Amino acid sequence: MNPLPSGQRWLSGPMPRFGLAQYVQRWADPSTVRALGLHGEVHFPLAVAHGQLASLPRVALTAHFHCVTTWSVPDLCWEGWRVQDLWAAFFREAARPSASHVRISGADGYATCLPLEEFLHPSALLADRLAGQPLSQAHGAPLRLVVPRLYGYKNVKHVQTLELLAGPAPVSGMGRLLAHPRGRADLEERSGVGFQPFWRRLYASQLSTFLRQAERFQSPPDPLQGEPHA
């Protein structure tokens, strides 16, 4: 087993459904996400229906998953399509040369920005299966971005649209605190500001609380009871 990045610890048990409270409590309906759209720094916008992905080679990827809050899960087995192949087949001709970043948005309202070189890294996958099973609603069905070298907050669930940008997306002060422009786990890029070991210690001190709170959102809510609230 590969060594853990600095500040991480192995989590016993399956990977939890995890994220910021305002998003993790939202349950996107996978049946409403049928295509992957592209806009922004493009010659023309377009949408790739999920059925068109069948023309691409399927790949399997086994990799560790690292959450910025200091837990890691080893050897998750993802299946899907390489982002590089998706880009070459459908998006390369539409992209303007000025495009340097991509904002990835999910059907639950969450979005993050990545440099194109990270989005197109050879390990980046658009996954539709996990551990030999179709991707669950809890973990991002129908399609989830998987970039193992980056912290989990860069691995968007329910991927729906890609917006190409000529530079990094502008972020608020709080956004800089909660996300790094890249988020590489091996370089401990937990936050866009400050001394990174500070954020490690802060997250580690709250980890048990984070995980207890996450237990509330491991399964879709009972429709008779309505949505839970953080």
Side-chain angles (χ1 to χ4, degrees):
M1 184 180 295
N2 293 335
L4 276 169
S6 296
Q8 297 297 114
R9 67 186 72 177
W10 295 121
L11 187 68
S12 60
M15 181 175 71
R17 173 178 165 83
F18 203 81
L20 293 174
Q22 63 265 42
Y23 301 107
V24 76
Q25 65 181 304
R26 297 178 186 173
W27 290 86
D29 182 356
S31 68
T32 66
V33 187
R34 300 186 178 93
L36 181 61
L38 180 78
H39 66 285
E41 288 291 308
V42 297
H43 297 296
F44 49 88
L46 56 86
V48 176
H50 290 178
Q52 294 176 263
L53 299 177
S55 65
L56 303 177
R58 289 189 63 85
V59 298
L61 173 72
T62 299
H64 305 331
F65 185 94
H66 305 296
C67 180
V68 71
T69 60
T70 71
W71 58 262
S72 297
V73 177
D75 298 325
L76 292 177
C77 299
W78 305 93
E79 297 175 49
W81 301 273
R82 291 194 190 281
V83 174
Q84 283 186 340
D85 292 338
L86 172 75
W87 182 267
F90 299 111
F91 294 148
R92 180 180 291 159
E93 291 186 1
R96 292 184 180 275
S98 54
S100 63
H101 289 70
V102 57
R103 178 178 168 89
I104 308 108
S105 299
D108 58 358
Y110 181 75
T112 194
C113 183
L114 287 177
L116 266 180
E117 64 188 281
E118 295 292 351
F119 184 64
L120 298 176
H121 190 271
S123 67
L125 205 67
L126 197 63
D128 67 343
R129 296 178 69 84
L130 172 61
Q133 300 295 323
L135 199 62
S136 68
Q137 188 180 6
H139 289 304
L143 297 173
R144 178 187 183 137
L145 180 65
V146 177
V147 191
R149 69 195 243 114
L150 306 184
Y151 284 121
Y153 67 82
K154 297 294 187 179
N155 292 234
V156 179
K157 304 180 185 82
H158 319 291
V159 176
Q160 191 169 38
T161 60
L162 306 174
E163 180 185 6
L164 297 184
L165 305 170
V171 293
S172 66
M174 183 59 68
R176 288 193 296 273
L177 289 176
L178 296 177
H180 188 277
R182 288 181 182 265
R184 291 169 291 191
D186 62 339
L187 297 180
E188 203 167 355
E189 294 174 335
R190 299 183 191 273
S191 169
V193 297
F195 184 53
Q196 297 304 326
F198 164 80
W199 295 102
R200 176 208 303 177
R201 291 192 290 270
L202 178 64
Y203 285 132
S205 70
Q206 299 296 314
L207 180 57
S208 59
T209 300
F210 292 151
L211 293 174
R212 281 198 306 273
Q213 292 173 343
E215 289 177 0
R216 301 174 57 196
F217 306 110
Q218 299 310 300
S219 300
D222 186 335
L224 297 179
Q225 298 179 6
E227 288 275 351
H229 295 281

